[in-house]
């Protein structure tokens, strides 16, 4: 069975991107959210928001 990346419908704060990434890698989604915030800081936050928005558009919703 192939693993597929989906946005989470149960583990979501905004669009479920970090929850889906956490489920895909079997990691706590809170750690993914924290990593996203810290990695977005050098991009002046706006880059992280744009990247999250693009991920929310590209990654399909979990069935």
């Amino acid at each position: 069975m192939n693993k597929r990346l989906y946005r989470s419908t149960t583990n979501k704060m905004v669009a479920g991107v970090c929850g889906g990434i956490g489920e895909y890698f079997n990691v706590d989604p809170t750690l993914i959210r924290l990593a996203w915030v810290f990695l977005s800081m050098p991009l002046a936050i706006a880059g992280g928001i744009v990247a999250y928005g693009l991920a929310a558009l590209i990654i399909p919703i979990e069935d």
Side-chain angles (χ1 to χ4, degrees):
M1 182 163 90
N2 293 336
K3 279 177 78 171
R4 298 233 15 213
L5 178 62
Y6 291 105
R7 287 187 288 149
S8 178
T9 56
T10 56
N11 248 340
K12 68 185 213 176
M13 297 286 265
V14 179
V17 173
C18 292
I21 293 171
E23 290 173 2
Y24 182 80
F25 290 111
N26 201 25
V27 177
D28 185 9
T30 304
L31 296 175
I32 302 295
R33 291 180 188 108
L34 287 172
W36 194 288
V37 168
F38 286 121
L39 293 174
S40 295
M41 294 241 185
L43 299 174
I45 303 292
I49 293 171
V50 170
Y52 189 90
L54 288 173
L57 290 173
I58 294 170
I59 300 172
I61 297 174
E62 179 180 40
D63 291 336

